[in-house]
Amino acid sequence: MNDTLVTLVGNAATGVEFRETATGGMARFRFAVTPRRWDREKQLWADGHTSFYTVWAWRTLALNLSGSVSVGEPLVVHGRLKVREEEREGQRRTFVDIEAVAVGHDLTRGTSAFRRVMRGEPALTARVGSADRADGPDDTGGPDGPGGPDGPGGAGAPDASGGSRGGAARSGSKKPTGRQKAAPELVSAP
């Protein structure tokens, strides 16, 4: 193939729009890239002209983007460059799109926490209050809502036996996480 692959560093200019299609999920958002250059005469950094791109993603990447990216976040986008021209209202306009192969947070400007998505757990990428959540109609919130790990009845809440329903108990490990309290060890008396 003769695709032009590019890697851009910038910020999410809009929220991610996600839609289900017949072939899987589709997401798009606008991406702003502003070059910075050192001005020797003024002895300070100066911003250049901001370029805007529309980033398109499909299937799993689209679903993960919708649950991970918010407006203003610094990102690194790698994908295929697509330039198209259209005539609208008598004027020719040029549109520059990126068909994303990979998208990630720019860790030179902050930290990020990675969560692997298991195929059977689409709720990890669902947005708070989303109507099309896959984990059922009885869950009324996101990670911090009533059905989330920090809300009543969430994964971090204790169950009837005093243990935790989520986190370490789900994975089979006995180590407590930062949100869970360690259960007291029972010692049998002779």
Side-chain angles (χ1 to χ4, degrees), residues 46-102:
D47 288 340
H49 175 74
T50 301
S51 298
F52 289 91
Y53 303 87
T54 301
V55 177
W56 297 85
W58 306 96
R59 293 174 284 288
T60 305
L61 178 57
L63 183 62
N64 291 344
L65 272 174
S66 70
S68 302
V69 174
S70 298
V71 176
E73 291 183 345
L75 300 173
V76 178
V77 175
H78 180 73
R80 293 175 195 87
L81 179 68
K82 308 282 183 182
V83 179
R84 57 190 167 86
E85 290 188 18
E86 293 181 10
E87 189 166 329
R88 290 186 182 175
E89 301 169 2
Q91 295 183 356
R92 277 195 91 62
R93 297 189 61 185
T94 303
F95 298 92
V96 182
D97 299 334
I98 307 296
E99 188 177 309
V101 173

Side-chain angles (χ1 to χ4, degrees), residues 21-66:
T21 66
T23 59
M26 184 275 302
R28 75 178 183 133
F29 66 96
R30 297 283 287 162
F31 189 61
V33 177
T34 305
R36 291 181 59 89
R37 302 231 183 334
W38 179 253
D39 187 337
R40 290 183 185 183
E41 292 174 9
K42 296 180 183 176
Q43 293 295 308
L44 51 93
W45 288 96
D47 288 340
H49 175 74
T50 301
S51 298
F52 289 91
Y53 303 87
T54 301
V55 177
W56 297 85
W58 306 96
R59 293 174 284 288
T60 305
L61 178 57
L63 183 62
N64 291 344
L65 272 174
S66 70

